[in-house]
Amino acid sequence: MMYHLRSTAFNTLRHYSKDTKIFSDKILSESHQATSPLNFVLGKRVDAQGSSSFQLIAPATGKVLRNIPNSNEQDISEAVLAARHTFKSWSKWTGFERGKVLKTAAELIRNKVDDLAYTEVLDTGKPIWEARYDILGCADTIEYYGGLAGGIKGDFMQLSGGSFAYTVREPLGVVGGIGAWNFPFQMAAWKSAPALACGNTMVFKPSQVTPLTAVMLGEIYQRAGLPGGCYNVVQGEGETGQILCSHSDIDKVTFTGSVPTGSRIMETCAKGIKHVTLELGGKSPLIIFSDADLDNAVKGAILANFSNQGQVCSNGTRVFVEESIAEDFLAKLIERVDNMKIGDPYHEDTTVGATISSQQAQIVEGYIDNAKKEGATVVYGGERVTPSDPNLAGGIYLRPCILVNCTDDMTVVRKEVFGPVLSLLTFKSEEEVVARANDTEFGLAGGVFTRDLQRAHRVVAAMEAGSIYVNNYNVYPVGVPFGGYKKSGIGRENGEDSLNYYSQIKSVYFEGGDVECPY
Ligand code: NDP
């Protein structure tokens, strides 16, 4: 998930900053973010004390930037303790006061967008303009929750005999946040903003692959006036996440990542009866009817498959095209994808950056090989591209891949690939395609392109997914809830809805007369 703004703004943003720094070893070695301590506790950067460590590798170059120590039990306990301690005062601030801090943070993010985007590219290898786009979207999200914070309230119920009841919406306490690597700054922002707006405090663990910008968010919050201890960051691998989830002083876990890890986290939380929000994987369908505007449908299919190197949870990777237009659709799709520019993510005109890691690239290539063995045909891409800049030789750059002759039972059509692989499937009738679209364990998103209004509404009603796009794909305006059906998750992020997942209701009964007691 990703673009808060409408896709028409893409080109404007791609040229937002003409003076973006050109990627080089010199800049890498000088990067403050790649040398400073990366845990953030009580408003300060600190080093984790764990005896084991992991490597931070820049996907664009494949170069090792540094080793980062894992946070051990003590590091995590200190962060949770700081969050618990600060919760006592932060939760007593009025919503309006909390909102002011968030709104200031949003403005600071906008002022720092190039620095943040630059560092996000260092971590992820995504094109710089996409990173900038993500970060500006996060500023909007934080401002949005800043605006909502003052309006968080309960209800009042008049009862008989002068009695009444009211409800108070209270925070949950200390929230543990755990993020995936595809939108690192966004994960930290989408989780912390509603949590803090409700009066919770947080300990956030980014993916080991992308540790840098969650800490920068901590510094921004600090400058905006957030009390130290409200937002903390611990770095580490899966075990750090496991320790965080099982900590007895964590009241809720909000997680974004894969289904297997989500399931493990839910098990851990079940032991402590902790609240849990899970944003998990997907294998979403995009249905294109023969009456659709074909050019828009092609653009939609590209947005649904190839932004962020295809590493997007809500991607519509099963592209169902009505048989009668399949040939025309494919020709237009290939023509447009062929214009995508692969290479240096720091160049403003790059549209395909580096794949996050060699392991992930191997997984994607494995799916493509397997698809061929199962009878699919690669009509475009799927191979590695070597950028002309020798600096980028260690990065992995995959050309977006289009598969045809796919069937619903193929592994590539059933499993989440999490890479730039589009499977094209054809259909004959609405009833058939809706049944096939829903035939998946996932339910994160779905799309439909048609000019027929009644059909659009019928298909939307029949689709089993948390977000459905009609005549567009992968746009995320601030304020619209996001989350999955089926195995794609539990709970919602974004929108007012998210506040319900970071708060609890206290019902208060007030007696206006004498106690009636039958005993
Ligand atoms: P993972 O599930 O592998 O990891 C996600 C996070 O969980 C990482 O920070 C990871 O740490 C941590 N983790 C791993 N094991 C444990 C554990 N036992 N207890 C607690 N935390 C743990 O997912 P990826 O990072 O590979 O992300 C890709 C997945 O995320 C895809 O399935 C994608 O669809 C999904 N996703 C869902 C989104 C949504 O909103 N629905 C959005 C974006 C991605 P570490 O990496 O350091 O090992």
Side-chain angles (χ1 to χ4, degrees):
M1 297 121 320
M2 41 313 324
Y3 305 114
H4 297 244
L5 309 178
R6 297 194 59 81
S7 52
T8 44
F10 266 55
N11 283 340
T12 326
L13 271 157
R14 280 180 57 193
H15 300 291
Y16 178 85
S17 166
K18 296 279 180 203
D19 64 348
T20 303
K21 300 153 192 151
I22 301 299
F23 194 78
S24 73
D25 278 346
K26 184 165 175 291
I27 291 171
L28 265 187
S29 61
E30 284 175 359
S31 167
H32 164 64
Q33 300 307 331
T35 52
S36 309
L38 289 175
N39 276 12
F40 189 77
V41 180
L42 280 172
K44 288 196 189 69
R45 284 180 183 256
V46 288
D47 275 319
Q49 301 303 318
S51 50
S52 62
S53 63
F54 56 95
Q55 285 185 329
L56 175 61
I57 297 172
T61 59
K63 287 179 183 152
V64 177
L65 299 181
R66 65 186 291 184
N67 279 319
I68 300 171
N70 274 302
S71 302
N72 61 18
E73 284 198 37
Q74 166 124 13
D75 296 312
I76 295 162
S77 280
E78 281 170 13
V80 174
L81 191 68
R84 173 60 61 195
H85 182 74
T86 319
F87 173 71
K88 288 184 198 137
S89 50
W90 176 245
S91 58
K92 300 288 178 289
W93 286 37
T94 65
F96 181 71
E97 288 167 335
R98 291 197 294 262
K100 282 214 274 198
V101 172
L102 292 176
K103 287 182 196 167
T104 308
E107 218 33 56
L108 292 174
I109 289 170
R110 291 187 185 109
N111 296 339
K112 222 177 152 46
V113 62
D114 276 332
D115 265 7
L116 285 160
Y118 173 79
T119 311
E120 193 83 327
V121 178
L122 196 61
D123 249 359
T124 61
K126 68 174 68 186
I128 182 78
W129 60 271
E130 279 197 28
R132 209 179 287 124
Y133 206 98
D134 298 346
I135 299 231
L136 289 173
C138 291
D140 287 351
T141 302
I142 292 174
E143 184 176 7
Y144 171 79
Y145 285 108
L148 287 184
I152 296 172
K153 60 182 186 317
D155 212 342
F156 175 85
M157 286 134 278
Q158 184 68 58
L159 304 171
S160 61
S163 299
F164 61 88
Y166 61 90
T167 59
V168 188
R169 188 167 283 282
E170 296 190 335
L172 298 171
V174 181
V175 177
I178 297 180
W181 43 257
N182 51 345
F183 293 93
F185 189 75
Q186 189 186 82
M187 305 265 164
W190 280 23
K191 293 182 189 314
S192 60
L196 292 170
C198 289
N200 303 283
T201 54
M202 173 167 271
V203 179
F204 184 77
K205 187 202 94 65
S207 165
Q208 58 173 299
V209 188
T210 53
L212 301 179
T213 50
V215 195
M216 293 171 84
L217 178 61
E219 290 176 320
I220 287 168
Y221 278 143
Q222 190 74 15
R223 278 184 53 211
L226 189 74
C230 279
Y231 170 88
N232 308 275
V233 178
V234 290
Q235 306 286 352
E237 296 170 274
E239 199 189 335
T240 300
Q242 179 71 35
I243 299 170
L244 180 62
C245 295
S246 46
H247 196 289
S248 58
D249 243 335
I250 290 284
D251 300 292
K252 179 203 166 96
V253 174
T254 171
F255 169 77
T256 298
S258 63
V259 173
T261 310
S263 170
R264 265 201 300 282
I265 287 177
M266 204 170 170
E267 247 177 79
T268 306
C269 289
K271 292 195 182 101
I273 318 286
K274 292 175 184 173
H275 297 253
V276 60
T277 295
L278 302 174
E279 295 289 353
L280 309 176
K283 188 73 199 177
S284 301
L286 171 60
I287 304 173
I288 297 164
F289 286 100
S290 58
D291 67 340
D293 177 313
L294 210 53
D295 290 324
N296 277 331
V298 165
K299 287 191 260 177
I302 293 172
L303 288 175
N305 281 276
F306 299 138
S307 57
N308 205 38
Q309 293 67 249
Q311 302 160 155
V312 181
C313 54
S314 53
N315 270 359
T317 47
R318 292 183 293 142
V319 179
F320 292 96
V321 183
E322 195 161 349
E323 214 169 67
S324 56
I325 57 158
E327 221 171 277
D328 289 351
F329 174 84
L330 182 61
K332 278 180 182 275
L333 178 69
I334 292 175
E335 190 189 335
R336 196 164 175 120
V337 174
D338 200 39
N339 283 328
M340 293 182 82
K341 195 162 171 222
I342 307 169
D344 190 338
Y346 282 95
H347 284 170
E348 292 288 340
D349 58 353
T350 294
T351 47
V352 180
T355 295
I356 189 79
S357 64
S358 58
Q359 295 94 310
Q360 187 61 23
Q362 279 162 24
I363 291 171
V364 174
E365 289 167 328
Y367 275 113
I368 297 171
D369 285 346
N370 194 46
K372 288 193 259 185
K373 283 187 199 129
E374 291 184 13
T377 310
V378 176
V379 283
Y380 185 85
E383 76 278 13
R384 291 189 185 198
V385 175
T386 309
S388 52
D389 182 348
N391 233 342
L392 307 177
I396 299 177
Y397 294 82
L398 294 178
R399 195 182 300 284
C401 175
I402 301 171
L403 296 171
V404 295
N405 297 327
C406 298
T407 53
D408 294 357
D409 56 346
M410 287 177 179
T411 313
V412 74
V413 178
R414 301 212 70 79
K415 301 277 184 198
E416 183 181 43
V417 175
F418 225 56
V421 182
L422 180 158
S423 298
L424 199 138
L425 302 129
T426 58
F427 68 92
K428 287 197 175 78
S429 76
E430 180 184 321
E431 196 184 16
E432 169 211 336
V433 75
V434 167
R436 290 169 63 193
N438 284 337
D439 182 19
T440 167
E441 60 182 357
F442 299 110
L444 193 55
V448 53
F449 274 81
T450 179
R451 287 186 171 110
D452 180 336
L453 275 179
Q454 287 180 330
R455 174 155 62 195
H457 285 291
R458 266 196 318 271
V459 172
V460 166
M463 280 172 104
E464 297 161 358
S467 293
I468 315 271
Y469 305 96
V470 180
N471 294 332
N472 207 335
Y473 207 93
N474 270 350
V475 285
Y476 289 87
V478 67
V480 179
F482 180 81
Y485 280 21
K486 303 198 248 183
K487 283 195 182 164
S488 289
I490 293 178
R492 291 291 175 273
E493 293 196 304
N494 288 349
E496 286 187 49
D497 244 35
S498 177
L499 300 175
N500 297 333
Y501 296 94
Y502 288 104
S503 59
Q504 54 195 340
I505 297 282
K506 179 179 279 174
S507 295
V508 183
Y509 176 90
F510 184 87
E511 179 56 59
D514 290 331
V515 174
E516 274 181 31
C517 179
Y519 309 106

